[in-house]
């Protein structure tokens, strides 16, 4: 994907939706975080066999090795969990529903997915399927109503639907509406959820203006850059790395062509924090 496409992508992406099930003020310590969506929030669900997020140099900043996060370090989920003063919720694919293991919630997000079938995601669970996974757990009483009282759902639909639309030149339905419909059925059992949209686009824009990051055309340049037309993380059959890393990772907003660095996400999180504080 070229720089121009990347920029178009940046302009289109970024819808995050937040829902509190009950007033969370003052009880953040018990909070659970349920996460749905794509690579902006995936913390390890994408299969090792297909996701570059499982290859070095992904994860070099945190946790120090590839962890399935599409970044050198933390992604949005990790920062939102820290806001809630809880640990980042376990990836669903670990398939361990022991109460201790899932006390901070579960992350259902899979990189490359959207509401509709996308180019990247092949057979990865789309939004509906991710929500189905959650509903199955509720119907099996893995979580009971009481558990869900102070839970938050974080949804990221950053741009895979749009990218697929652009690539296919097709028509796209109003995926926000479908998403909302899906989510409304999500916590039917508990009291009426409140839906809040966080404007990730705005948060990106203000984060990108920080002095920490370079200005001009260096700004969108990723730290991990593929060479010879390859992608960040690619190693050829002779073991030669087909990517280079920037010198100042901490001053890079983008890690690869589409995903922010640990510092990039930190900056986005700081931009979102005032609205989070107002809402939760
Ligand atoms: C999501 O995936 C499921 C299972 O593959 C499929 O049945 C459903 O049609 C998909 N949803 C959309 C909106 O494409
Ligand atoms: C893409 O859309 C344009 C404008 O609607 C149309 O002229 C063109 O034929 C479309 N291309 C394909 C491959 O569908």
């Amino acid at each position: 994907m070229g720089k121009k496409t990347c920029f178009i992508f940046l302009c289109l992406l970024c819808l995050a939706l937040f829902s509190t099930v009950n007033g969370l003020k003052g009880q953040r310590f018990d909070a659970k975080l349920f996460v749905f969506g794509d690579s902006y929030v995936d913390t390890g669900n994408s299969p090792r066999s297909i996701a570059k997020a499982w290859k070095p140099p992904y994860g070099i900043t945190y946790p120090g090795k590839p962890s399935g996060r599409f970044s050198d370090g933390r992604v949005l989920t990790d920062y939102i969990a820290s806001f809630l003063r809880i640990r980042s919720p376990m990836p669903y694919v670990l398939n361990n529903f022991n109460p201790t293991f899932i006390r901070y919630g579960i992350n259902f997000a899979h990189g490359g997915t959207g509401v509709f079938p996308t180019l990247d995601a092949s057979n990865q669970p789309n939004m509906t399927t991710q929500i189905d996974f959650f509903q199955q757990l509720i119907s099996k009483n893995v979580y009971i109503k009481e558990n869900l009282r102070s839970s938050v759902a974080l949804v990221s639909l950053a741009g895979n639907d749009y990218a697929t639309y652009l690539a296919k030149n097709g028509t796209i339905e109003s995926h926000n509406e479908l998403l909302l419909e899906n989510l409304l059925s999500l916590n039917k059992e508990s009291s009426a959820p409140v839906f809040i949209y966080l404007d990730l686009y705005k948060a990106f824009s203000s984060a990108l203006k920080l002095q920490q990051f370079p200005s001009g055309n260096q700004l969108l340049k990723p730290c991990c850059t593929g060479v010879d037309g390859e992608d960040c993380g690619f190693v050829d059959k002779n073991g030669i790395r087909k990517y280079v890393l920037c010198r100042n990772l901490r001053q890079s907003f983008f890690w690869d062509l589409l995903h922010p660095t640990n510092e990039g996400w930190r900056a986005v999180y700081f931009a979102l924090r005032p609205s989070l504080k107002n809402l939760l």
Side-chain angles (χ1 to χ4, degrees):
M1 201 182 280
K3 232 177 230 161
K4 193 166 158 221
T5 328
C6 178
F7 189 70
I8 295 173
F9 181 86
L10 231 193
C11 295
L12 290 173
L13 58 76
C14 303
L15 166 79
L17 178 140
F18 226 83
S19 99
T20 59
V21 175
N22 263 333
L24 209 62
K25 288 200 165 73
Q27 45 165 313
R28 277 200 239 160
F29 294 104
D30 298 327
K32 295 187 193 325
L33 180 60
F34 297 97
V35 186
F36 307 89
D38 53 29
S39 56
Y40 276 10
V41 292
D42 185 356
T43 53
N45 283 314
S46 290
R48 286 166 195 261
S49 54
I50 61 169
K52 61 186 178 187
W54 282 108
K55 292 180 191 157
Y58 283 80
I60 51 168
T61 302
Y62 173 87
K65 59 178 187 198
S67 68
R69 287 171 172 81
F70 290 75
S71 175
D72 62 302
R74 294 167 187 82
V75 295
L76 185 59
T77 302
D78 303 306
Y79 288 105
I80 300 288
S82 79
F83 177 83
L84 296 169
R85 299 180 204 144
I86 58 173
R87 297 177 68 162
S88 209
M90 291 297 165
Y92 177 73
V93 294
L94 294 181
N95 203 24
N96 178 348
F97 304 117
N98 181 311
T100 326
F101 205 68
I102 56 166
R103 62 183 288 198
Y104 304 112
I106 296 180
N107 188 343
F108 298 91
H110 283 70
T113 62
V115 171
F116 298 106
T118 57
L119 293 176
D120 288 350
S122 40
N123 291 317
Q124 300 235 60
N126 61 24
M127 182 64 60
T128 322
T129 309
Q130 291 177 24
I131 292 171
D132 281 349
F133 291 157
F134 183 48
Q135 279 169 334
Q136 281 161 24
L137 294 181
I138 292 175
S139 66
K140 287 182 196 152
N141 287 328
V142 169
Y143 288 108
I144 52 171
K145 202 169 151 183
E146 191 76 352
N147 296 147
L148 295 175
R149 267 236 300 266
S150 53
S151 57
V152 171
L154 169 64
V155 180
S156 168
L157 285 170
N160 295 311
D161 289 312
Y162 295 109
T164 304
Y165 163 72
L166 285 175
K168 285 189 175 161
N169 198 17
T171 58
I172 195 162
E173 288 111 294
S174 169
H175 76 269
N176 296 348
E177 265 170 42
L178 180 62
L179 167 70
L180 209 60
E181 207 175 283
N182 275 314
L183 285 173
L184 278 169
S185 61
L186 201 132
N187 278 308
K188 247 189 252 155
E189 296 299 305
S190 46
S191 55
V194 182
F195 287 90
I196 303 148
Y197 286 90
L198 290 176
D199 191 344
L200 259 192
Y201 177 75
K202 216 160 86 190
F204 266 61
S205 309
S206 69
L208 282 162
K209 283 187 200 122
L210 295 178
Q211 273 201 339
Q212 179 185 0
F213 304 117
S215 54
N217 54 12
Q218 288 301 302
L219 184 57
L220 298 181
K221 194 173 182 288
C223 178
C224 184
T225 319
V227 294
D228 299 338
E230 299 297 349
D231 206 356
C232 172
F234 187 81
V235 174
D236 74 9
K237 56 184 186 325
N238 303 316
I240 311 286
R241 289 178 188 174
K242 290 296 181 182
Y243 59 87
V244 289
L245 286 183
C246 64
R247 287 220 190 105
N248 294 313
L249 178 49
R250 289 180 65 90
Q251 287 160 23
S252 252
F253 184 84
F254 277 102
W255 167 246
D256 62 19
L257 279 169
L258 299 178
H259 305 105
T261 56
N262 186 76
E263 290 307 306
W265 275 126
R266 189 197 304 279
V268 170
Y269 165 63
F270 275 110
L272 289 173
R273 213 161 56 159
S275 6
L276 287 169
K277 277 195 173 140
N278 272 343
L279 302 167
L280 298 178

